[in-house]
Amino acid sequence: MKKIAVMSGKGGVGKSTVAANLAFALAQNHKTGLFDVDIHGPSIPKMLGLEDVKGLAESEKGRFKPVEIRNLKVFSIGFLLPTSDTPIIWRGPVKHGFIKQGLEQVDWNADYLIIDLPPGTGDEALSVIHLAKPDGVIIVTTPQSVALEDVRKAIRFAEKTEIPVVGIVENMSGLICPHCSKVIDVFGKGGGRRLSEEMNVTFLGSIPLDPEVTESGDRGRPIVEIGGKTSEVFNKIAETVLDILERTKKVETSQ
Ligand SMILES: Nc1ncnc2c1ncn2[C@@H]1O[C@H](COP(=O)(O)OP(=O)(O)OP(=O)(O)O)[C@@H](O)[C@H]1O
Ligand SMILES: [Mg+2]
């Protein structure tokens, strides 16, 4: 199973949106899982319309069955909490244990596992790096310069922990006007691409700030399931990610 972690230096840049849409894009043709590792703020259940799921079924092997939704397997701490406003008060080692269980005790039976991380380079990111040893990380950023400073940090974190960076996704890059469909560059333009050149990592693509993305996330149906231009961008990014992972594998086997 290839594991891909989605991270960012900064909060609210669209990691979960990217993770959920990439997972759905991959699930169209591959066995795919989505592990929500955002223990303090799990947003995957809401984004996928799974807020009412409470508890997980046990599999024959005494392990857990992930929740299946349209060919995608999902696991989130949100499924184990009595209500969505229940706070989690755990220190690092307990979080580490939860992540270990999510990786080892859930019957993923998948070719690809997308891991949605909380923002930054804290306990959860470290636990995922050590326990899952991801085949790559995708770094999500927005075009503002402050976010770009943080993305440098995230790239260095991946380098220090020796996890390959699959590439950078620039999210919320230009607003698609719902009236005239013209693109307005709210946060500037091209920062993600410039940064990827500077840091020598792949630029995976720009996702526009599209009101339909917000709405579809709120309604529990990611945009990839609905279709349209922004959905195509996600599908294209998913293809590029698979290409990169495949190439990395070839390089490894030829060594
Ligand atoms: N391209 C986009 N266009 C419009 N809205 C978007 C886009 N990307 C994300 N959003 C919206 O922005 C909000 C934050 O996105 P999301 O939850 O994916 O960010 P995050 O990086 O996972 O946040 P956190 O750091 O809290 O985990 C959500 O309401 C989401 O629907
Ligand atoms: Mg998130």
Side-chain angles (χ1 to χ4, degrees):
M1 180 167 72
K2 293 254 175 206
K3 302 178 204 95
I4 306 149
V6 179
M7 72 179 297
S8 71
K10 201 170 169 257
V13 294
K15 287 175 296 304
S16 303
T17 304
V18 169
N21 280 292
L22 280 188
F24 267 113
L26 292 177
Q28 290 161 13
N29 298 307
H30 304 274
K31 289 198 263 178
T32 308
L34 173 60
F35 182 13
D36 178 5
V37 169
D38 195 340
I39 294 169
H40 297 287
S43 44
I44 292 296
K46 182 167 174 11
M47 267 181 197
L48 304 190
L50 299 172
E51 324 76 318
D52 294 335
V53 174
K54 292 289 160 246
L56 287 186
E58 249 184 66
S59 75
E60 305 81 55
K61 301 170 209 154
R63 291 143 57 98
F64 294 107
K65 278 191 184 163
V67 175
E68 268 200 69
I69 171 169
R70 297 180 288 276
N71 208 32
L72 177 69
K73 298 182 171 113
V74 190
F75 177 49
S76 166
I77 184 90
F79 301 152
L80 308 177
L81 301 174
T83 56
S84 58
D85 58 3
T86 310
I88 292 275
I89 306 163
W90 287 352
R91 289 188 190 277
V94 188
K95 293 188 207 173
H96 191 80
F98 168 78
I99 293 168
K100 191 169 160 63
Q101 273 198 315
L103 290 165
E104 293 172 4
Q105 301 291 314
V106 172
D107 271 334
W108 288 109
N109 184 24
D111 298 325
Y112 296 100
L113 182 68
I114 304 287
I115 303 172
D116 181 23
L117 285 168
T121 50
D123 286 335
E124 290 86 336
L126 272 177
S127 292
V128 164
I129 299 279
H130 289 136
L131 295 166
K133 300 192 176 50
D135 297 275
V137 291
I138 292 173
I139 295 171
V140 182
T141 181
T142 54
Q144 303 100 305
S145 55
V146 184
L148 297 179
E149 267 310 314
D150 285 296
V151 84
R152 282 195 184 90
K153 241 188 259 175
I155 295 171
R156 296 215 170 97
F157 174 82
E159 283 169 357
K160 279 217 159 105
T161 51
E162 296 181 359
I163 302 296
V165 177
V166 179
I168 296 178
V169 171
E170 185 177 270
N171 187 30
M172 310 194 192
S173 113
L175 167 75
I176 299 186
C177 172
H179 307 292
C180 67
S181 300
K182 275 200 185 140
V183 177
I184 305 158
D185 291 316
V186 190
F187 298 129
K189 203 179 174 184
R193 191 180 283 279
R194 275 197 299 278
L195 187 82
S196 66
E197 281 163 12
E198 178 200 318
M199 303 286 288
N200 203 20
V201 295
T202 307
F203 184 67
L204 293 169
S206 306
I207 301 156
L209 182 62
D210 179 352
E212 273 195 50
V213 170
T214 329
E215 213 184 297
S216 65
D218 283 351
R219 270 184 304 162
R221 277 200 86 203
I223 193 81
V224 158
E225 291 215 291
I226 296 165
K229 270 200 179 149
T230 308
S231 157
E232 279 165 29
V233 178
F234 278 114
N235 281 320
K236 186 90 199 18
I237 292 175
E239 260 175 52
T240 313
V241 169
L242 288 193
D243 269 3
I244 292 173
L245 289 179
E246 197 53 34
R247 262 187 276 149
T248 325
K249 194 168 83 189
K250 284 201 187 116
V251 172
E252 271 166 18
T253 43
S254 65
Q255 270 170 359

